[in-house]
Amino acid sequence: MQTSVAMTDIGRRRKVNQDYVYASDQPVGNLPNLYVVADGMGGHRAGDLASSYGVQKFVEAVRRCTDVRPALILQKAIRYANYRLYEKSCEREDYYGMGTTLVALCVCGYEALAVNIGDSRLYEVTPDGIRQISQDHSLVAELVRKGELSPQEARRHPDKNIITRALGIQEEAEIDLFPFHADRGNRYLLCSDGLSNMVEDTELCRLIQKDQPLQDIGGRLILEANRNGGTDNIAVVLVEIG
C-alpha cells in the first residue's frame, strides 16, 4: 500500500500559482492509484487553467477508461486530456498557446509506470541515492543528451525553461512511458521545475531520505526552494511504497 502527500506553493516571485497536483492512494478507474504534477504555461490566466484543466481531464479519462492495462490507460488518458486542452485553447484569444507539462505515476504492486510530457520530473529515492526516472523535454536537456552541455552548465543556462513538448499546444501529444521496478521502502518525488531548478538533486535526496513523515519532508522541500530564491511556483507529490 502506498502513502502520499501533495502540495503546491506560489513561490516568492510569482503572483499566480500555475502548478497543479493530484494524488490518490485509492483506485482511480482501473488503476490502483494515481499521482500527477502539472506546470502550466501561458498568460497569467491561461497557465493556471491549463494545468488544472489538463489534470482534471486526464483523471476523468482514467476513471472512464475500460481498459485494464495501465500503459494503455495512461496513454489514452493523456491523449484525451491533450485534445480537450487544445480545444479549450482555441475558445478564446487569451487562451491561445496555453499548455502544461504533466508527469504521472501509477504503482501496481512492485511494478510502476510513469508517463511524462515536458520538464516536470519523477525521481526515485532509495537508501543508495537518487535517480531521475523521467526525461526532460527541454532545449537544454536535449543539449545535455547530445553532449553539448554538462548537467551543471544546464542548470545555469539562460534557456533552461524552454520546453520542447507540452500538453495541449497541438492536436497530438508526443509522450514518454517509463516502466520500472518499485521496491518496498522506496520514495518517489514528482515535482515541477520550481523545485528541481532551486534544489540540487543531492539535497533533494538528503531531505527525502530523512526518517520523517512525508508531510514534513514536503514542507521542507518547499521551504528550501523558497530559501534558494523561489523564482517559480513549486509543486511536490511524495509517494512511499509501503
Side-chain angles (χ1 to χ4, degrees), residues 54-55 78 81-82 85 98-102 117 165-169 173 175:
V55 173
I78 206 164
N82 178 79
L85 183 56
M98 73 176 181
T100 184
T101 70
L102 189 146
I117 183 168
R165 298 190 211 170
L167 197 73
I169 60 173
I175 61 172

Side-chain angles (χ1 to χ4, degrees), residues 113-125:
L113 185 65
V115 61
N116 180 59
I117 183 168
D119 64 351
S120 292
R121 292 181 176 180
L122 171 65
Y123 289 96
E124 179 181 68
V125 178

Side-chain angles (χ1 to χ4, degrees), residues 184-205:
R184 181 177 298 175
N186 287 0
R187 286 175 171 172
Y188 294 91
L189 168 68
L190 297 87
C191 67
S192 63
D193 64 349
L195 179 67
S196 57
N197 282 343
M198 292 290 103
V199 184
E200 296 275 359
D201 288 5
T202 52
E203 182 64 5
L204 291 176
C205 183

